[in-house]
Amino acid sequence: MNCLFCRIVEKKIPSKKVYEDEHVFAFEDIHPQAPVHILVVPKKHISTILEAKEEDNELIGRMFQTANKLAKDRGVAERGFRLVLNCNRESGQTIYHIHLHLLAGRAMHWPPG
Ligand code: 5GP
Ligand code: ZN
């Protein structure tokens, strides 16, 4: 399959890995938008969150648990962090393999741009 994040998960394309287990892979965003900007992806290819099935509920929970762990590891859990999951064009989704953005290390604005 011609999916960039599948290829990163398979290590056919290099990335700065920060976490991996049987179900989830996490790596540094190539264009960080904050001092901490990590992408958490399921190893299973799911193109948008709209495609997630009931059977993916545990997997999606694992993505959030991974983000929690990484926020604690990076020492930003207490200060705060933002988790973003874009869906489809107007949100700005560019890679059609779901990913949670973990953003932290600076004050975040609201409403988001
Ligand atoms: P989206 O806009 O789809 O929510 O987020 C895609 C993210 O993937 C962007 O923040 C972008 O910087 C990141 N990205 C795109 N290509 C690569 C790549 O080849 N390697 C890494 N590490 N990040 C990428
Ligand atoms: Zn994929």
Side-chain angles (χ1 to χ4, degrees):
M1 192 185 295
N2 191 22
C3 168
L4 177 65
F5 285 179
C6 282
R7 292 164 68 104
I8 284 177
V9 164
E10 292 162 5
K11 304 188 178 84
K12 288 178 180 151
I13 291 178
S15 70
K16 290 188 184 166
K17 181 177 92 170
V18 295
Y19 177 80
E20 179 175 15
D21 65 25
E22 196 185 337
H23 304 283
V24 170
F25 193 88
F27 55 101
E28 304 280 356
D29 196 291
I30 205 166
H31 291 127
Q33 301 301 315
V36 175
H37 189 173
I38 294 169
L39 301 175
V40 180
V41 310
K43 289 191 168 178
K44 174 184 176 181
H45 180 86
I46 301 171
S47 59
T48 77
I49 195 63
L50 288 167
E51 264 65 55
K53 305 282 188 284
E54 192 88 20
E55 70 206 34
D56 298 317
N57 286 357
E58 187 183 327
L59 181 58
I60 287 161
R62 287 177 183 277
M63 292 168 66
F64 280 85
Q65 291 296 345
T66 301
N68 281 349
K69 176 192 155 27
L70 293 170
K72 289 177 196 160
D73 288 352
R74 293 292 173 101
V76 295
E78 190 91 354
R79 294 170 60 181
F81 56 91
R82 184 170 289 175
L83 300 177
V84 173
L85 197 160
N86 293 320
C87 183
N88 279 340
R89 194 183 60 252
E90 283 199 351
S91 74
Q93 184 176 5
T94 56
I95 308 291
Y96 282 76
H97 178 132
I98 59 168
H99 48 281
L100 208 48
H101 295 257
L102 167 60
L103 295 152
R106 64 167 171 82
M108 300 287 156
H109 305 291
W110 196 264

